[in-house]
Amino acid sequence: MSNEAAAAGDAAGTTEGAPAVGGAPAPARSRDIASYIDHTLLKPEASEAEILKVCFEAAEYRFKSVCVNPIWVKTVKTALKGSGVLTCSVVGFPLGATPTDVKAFEARGAVLDGADEIDMVVNIAAARAGDKGALVDDITAVAEVVHAGGAMLKVIIETGLLSDEQKVIACQAAVEAGADFVKTSTGFNGGGATPEDIALMRRTVGPDLGVKASGGVRSLADAQAMIAAGATRIGASSGIAIVKGEQGSSAY
């Protein structure tokens, strides 16, 4: 069983009265959703004060992680110490067009700085070409350094730029390369998570890999729909609105 399968089980244990659908339980109450959320701030102009605010919110609402650009990993790790909230960072973000060895180097640095999880963007050109071998090589190089550091790897396939066939190939590559999650989107390259894509990804990777919905998840209803379709993690900058049952306005 993968690390994510265990994590999903922990999250599911907080849910009452919700049926299992698509490999993941749908929480019945808004407060249960918090344990699924990666509270995210990836804007390049984000200030230290804004990063620290996100950390404070994550600790208050008990989100799963705070997801930031690599320059903020040390800051976030320090701010979240003792909170139980994980530190997450991104690699090859947001285009995925970085050489594989550079992605691996970036991932190693983020893990050394304290990242518990890494969200990498795949080689999107290879995904569009259906080149599974290139995708496996790209993901494997990052997975090896991430896992060597005791961290977890999520693979962003950028569903908005792929056909269903290409999405399946990218997910299969992530499984073969030993990733812990597949993830829909960066939120920066058009399109976002849809229940249909989550269901397709869940069918492709099976029950033991995590599936993360990101991009455009702005309300409790959005989050519940993604979880019902098979998501075990939600990436959102509207996390507070989601847990409050309100409508978020963020583009991510």
Side-chain angles (χ1 to χ4, degrees):
M1 178 179 293
S2 69
N3 291 337
E4 170 53 17
D10 291 343
T14 65
T15 305
E16 295 178 2
V21 180
R29 302 166 304 185
S30 61
R31 70 172 180 266
D32 297 323
I33 292 285
S35 65
Y36 286 75
I37 293 175
D38 289 345
H39 198 36
T40 302
L41 180 54
L42 293 167
K43 294 180 179 179
E45 72 272 23
S47 67
E48 182 176 15
E50 291 171 321
I51 294 292
L52 292 173
K53 180 175 182 289
V54 166
C55 292
F56 176 81
E57 292 168 348
E60 179 182 2
Y61 286 91
R62 305 294 298 168
F63 292 129
K64 184 67 176 182
S65 82
V66 168
C67 187
V68 294
N69 283 303
I71 61 169
W72 297 115
V73 170
K74 288 183 179 179
T75 300
V76 170
K77 190 70 172 183
T78 299
L80 293 175
K81 185 176 181 180
S83 69
V85 180
L86 301 176
T87 300
C88 177
S89 191
V90 291
V91 163
F93 193 88
L95 302 177
T98 309
T100 297
D101 59 345
V102 176
K103 289 182 185 178
F105 180 84
E106 186 178 18
R108 183 183 294 108
V111 172
L112 288 173
D113 283 346
D116 302 294
E117 300 183 340
I118 296 294
D119 289 19
M120 72 167 287
V121 187
V122 295
N123 180 336
I124 297 169
R128 287 173 62 89
D131 189 345
K132 187 195 286 188
L135 291 171
V136 171
D137 290 345
D138 191 47
I139 300 165
T140 298
V142 178
E144 287 176 350
V145 300
V146 169
H147 292 154
M152 188 178 294
L153 178 64
K154 308 190 196 86
V155 175
I156 306 170
I157 67 171
E158 202 66 281
T159 51
L161 300 179
L162 305 180
S163 68
D164 282 356
E165 181 180 2
Q166 292 162 350
K167 294 167 194 172
V168 168
I169 291 170
C171 287
Q172 290 172 339
V175 173
E176 291 182 24
D180 301 288
F181 281 79
V182 288
K183 174 180 171 181
T184 59
S185 323
T186 62
F188 286 77
N189 291 318
T194 67
E196 293 77 17
D197 279 341
I198 292 296
L200 175 64
M201 294 164 72
R202 171 56 65 201
R203 290 195 301 271
T204 303
V205 303
D208 292 333
L209 235 68
V211 177
K212 178 174 173 179
S214 64
V217 183
R218 303 186 186 96
S219 69
L220 177 60
D222 289 341
Q224 288 176 325
M226 299 303 169
I227 293 169
T232 50
R233 193 77 67 89
I234 303 292
S237 53
S238 298
I240 294 175
I242 290 170
V243 299
K244 287 185 173 181
E246 300 171 354
Q247 179 67 44
S249 59
S250 172
Y252 183 84

